[in-house]
Structures are given as structure tokens and as C-alpha cells.
């Protein structure tokens, strides 16, 4: 591992609910190099989204150190892009204006960047379309292009394909990999899908719940493009699944004692 772009050390986060404190994350340590594609999986309530929100600067009140490119994260910034499960496009704006967001398309440099991103996310010909005229996968591609416009150092994706059908989801996985290979933007991708985690990630981070802790980090030493039906892919999938099942067993054990 080289020098980390993102460094998380002794991260703890708790929430107050129903008159008591709930530990969402406990002693999380993670280093992410520039250009890595990290996938994060774990049961519901293990702190996956909370971890992303802290890195995005959308969640505060934590202890520990979180730094991007050596600078502590104290709030949102244009050096981080965030993609939600819902595309969150402005319904009254066209594709190109959604990508530009608050930046003027009449600026030649902004126009050029928007056109390049439309090509990158394979939406040429839909520049003047409105969100209501797009499929779910196309709308998410617009959201990804919008997040990339300001050249973020890291892109944070919180189950962005969770609401898509299986065929569209598989297509979007490939589109995202094409974008990553073209730009080498560092990505952290949260998912519940083990196949998706192994297909996309250079490392898979497995979180366990109550409190949210890193159970295991599994390197995925497979070249791209990957074939889900290959024996090497299935071997790694089973390896990740075995760790994930242990996490689920712990969750069931904890739940039985409540």
C-alpha cells in the first residue's frame, strides 16, 4: 500500500435514540489509496451509510481522525462527490443542465466538460431530455456525471443501483467500471449485494453490526473485466460469502439476547 488518499483512524460514532446511546461505528480503521475502487458490504444497521456520510462531511459528532489527502474532513466539499440510491435530479432541468447544476453552460469550459461527461456516461443524444423521460439507469448516469463535473478526489456511492432491476443493474455496474477505468477516480461503493461487491471492488470491506466494525477486508485479485461465471470469481465470491455469513451469525446471536 502506498500513501493513503483517504485515512480513517479510530473512528467512533454513536446516536441517541429512545433515550439511549447506540454505537453506530466503533474503532474503524481504513486507508484508501488514490485510484482504488473499494466496496463495502454488511447487514442493515452496520453503519455503511453512516461511514459514507462522515467521509462526505454530511455527518459530524464523531471521534477519531478522518482525513482526505492529508486534510481533516470537517464538512462537505467539492473534493467529494456523493451518489444516493435515488438520483435526486432536478425534474425541471434537462440532462445537460442537471449535470452543470449551478454552473453556467454558456461558459465554454463548462460546456466542454459537460459534453465530455455525457459521452463518458453514454448519454449522447439525451442532452435535452428531462428526468421524467429517462429510465432509472439513465437517471443514475446523469447523477454520476454531475458528481464528476468538479473532478472530485473521491466518489462515494450509497447503494446507487439498489432500486434498479437485475438487467439494468448489471449494465450499470459495467458503465461504472468504464467510468472508473477512464478517470481513475477513487470510489467507495456501499452495497448489500456480494456479487456486485466482488465484481466491482479491488477490495471488499465487510462490516459487522452493533457496533459497526470492520470484520474483514478481502483483496479481489482479479483482472478487469471480470466474468461472474468464472471459477476464479466464484471462489472469491464464496470466500467473501463465508465471512459475511459469520457476520450474520453474530447478528442473530446478538439479536437472541435482546
Amino acid at each position: 500500500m502506498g500513501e493513503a488518499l483517504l485515512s480513517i483512524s479510530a473512528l467512533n460514532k454513536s446516536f441517541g435514540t429512545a433515550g439511549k446511546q447506540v454505537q453506530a461505528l466503533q474503532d474503524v480503521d481504513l486507508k484508501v489509496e488514490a485510484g482504488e475502487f473499494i466496496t463495502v458490504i454488511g447487514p442493515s444497521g452496520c453503519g455503511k451509510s453512516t461511514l459514507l456520510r462522515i467521509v462526505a462531511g454530511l455527518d459530524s459528532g464523531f471521534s477519531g481522525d478522518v482525513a482526505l489527502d492529508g486534510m481533516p474532513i470537517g464538512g462537505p466539499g467539492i473534493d467529494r462527490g456523493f451518489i444516493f440510491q435515488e438520483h435526486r435530479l432536478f425534474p425541471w432541468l434537462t440532462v445537460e443542465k442537471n449535470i452543470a447544476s449551478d454552473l453556467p453552460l454558456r461558459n465554454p469550459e463548462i460546456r466542454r466538460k459537460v459534453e465530455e461527461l455525457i459521452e463518458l456516461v453514454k448519454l449522447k443524444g439525451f442532452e435535452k431530455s428531462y428526468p421524467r423521460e429517462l429510465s432509472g439507469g439513465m437517471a443514475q448516469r446523469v447523477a454520476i456525471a454531475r458528481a464528476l463535473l468538479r473532478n472530485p478526489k473521491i466518489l462515494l456511492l450509497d447503494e446507487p443501483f439498489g432500486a434498479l432491476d437485475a438487467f439494468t443493474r448489471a449494465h450499470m455496474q459495467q458503465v461504472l467500471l468504464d467510468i472508473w477505468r477512464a478517470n481513475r477516480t477513487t470510489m467507495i461503493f456501499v452495497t448489500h449485494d456480494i456479487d456486485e461487491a466482488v465484481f466491482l471492488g479491488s477490495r471488499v470491506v465487510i462490516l459487522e453490526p452493533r457496533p459497526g466494525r470492520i470484520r474483514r477486508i478481502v483483496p479481489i485479485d482479479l483482472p478487469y473485466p471480470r466474468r461472474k461465471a468464472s471459477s476464479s470469481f466464484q471462489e472469491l465470491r464464496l470466500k467473501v460469502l463465508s465471512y459475511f455469513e459469520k457476520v450474520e451469525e453474530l447478528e442473530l446471536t446478538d439479536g437472541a439476547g435482546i
Side-chain angles (χ1 to χ4, degrees):
M1 296 286 288
E3 188 172 345
L5 172 69
L6 174 68
S7 179
I8 300 171
S9 178
L11 174 61
N12 288 272
K13 170 69 179 180
S14 60
F15 295 100
T17 178
K20 63 179 181 179
Q21 288 291 106
V22 175
Q23 190 83 17
L25 295 169
Q26 184 179 70
D27 297 330
V28 173
D29 296 304
L30 180 65
K31 295 188 183 299
V32 180
E33 287 188 68
E36 270 200 286
F37 197 134
I38 301 296
T39 51
V40 182
I41 62 172
S44 295
C46 70
K48 302 185 298 295
S49 295
T50 300
L51 179 62
L52 278 198
R53 289 179 61 83
I54 288 173
V55 175
L58 300 174
D59 210 335
S60 58
F62 60 86
S63 65
D65 298 309
V66 183
L68 184 66
D69 211 8
M71 299 297 294
I73 291 175
I78 61 172
D79 54 359
R80 283 149 284 150
F82 201 108
I83 308 295
F84 299 88
Q85 185 169 340
E86 311 83 22
H87 56 72
R88 302 195 179 188
L89 301 180
F90 300 114
W92 58 89
L93 296 182
T94 61
V95 164
E96 61 183 7
K97 289 181 178 179
N98 260 293
I99 293 172
S101 192
D102 59 337
L103 300 177
L105 274 172
R106 62 180 176 273
N107 181 309
E109 182 64 15
I110 299 302
R111 167 67 67 177
R112 181 186 64 80
K113 287 183 178 180
V114 168
E115 289 175 353
E116 287 177 355
L117 286 167
I118 286 172
E119 288 273 4
L120 183 64
V121 299
K122 300 178 174 63
L123 284 174
K124 188 70 176 174
F126 292 91
E127 297 91 335
K128 307 297 183 183
S129 298
Y130 289 89
R132 65 178 179 274
E133 300 170 320
L134 305 177
S135 68
M138 293 167 73
Q140 278 295 49
R141 280 185 265 165
V142 178
I144 292 169
R146 180 172 61 185
L148 290 172
L149 181 64
R150 289 176 169 84
N151 298 314
K153 293 178 181 178
I154 191 166
L155 191 60
L156 309 165
L157 303 104
D158 193 3
E159 298 191 65
F161 308 150
L164 304 178
D165 63 81
F167 181 83
T168 305
R169 185 171 190 151
H171 175 67
M172 285 300 300
Q173 290 168 2
Q174 192 57 60
V175 168
L176 187 62
L177 282 177
D178 291 344
I179 293 168
W180 174 67
R181 285 200 293 265
N183 281 20
R184 284 294 168 175
T185 301
T186 309
M187 297 193 183
I188 302 181
F189 186 106
V190 161
T191 179
H192 279 98
D193 189 309
I194 292 173
D195 281 26
E196 186 169 68
V198 175
F199 183 74
L200 295 174
S202 50
R203 289 189 290 156
V204 177
V205 177
I206 304 171
L207 291 182
E208 64 182 46
R210 291 197 297 271
R213 292 171 292 189
I214 293 179
R215 172 76 177 185
R216 183 79 60 162
I217 299 177
V218 182
I220 307 299
D221 299 319
L222 292 177
Y224 297 96
R226 294 170 178 170
R227 292 177 55 249
K228 294 180 183 178
S230 69
S231 58
S232 54
F233 182 94
Q234 290 301 318
E235 285 173 11
L236 277 166
R237 178 189 178 279
L238 289 172
K239 182 178 182 180
V240 172
L241 179 60
S242 68
Y243 293 131
F244 192 76
E245 286 176 340
K246 289 175 184 176
V247 167
E248 288 183 320
E249 288 171 8
L250 284 172
E251 186 178 21
L252 288 171
T253 302
D254 289 345
I258 294 174

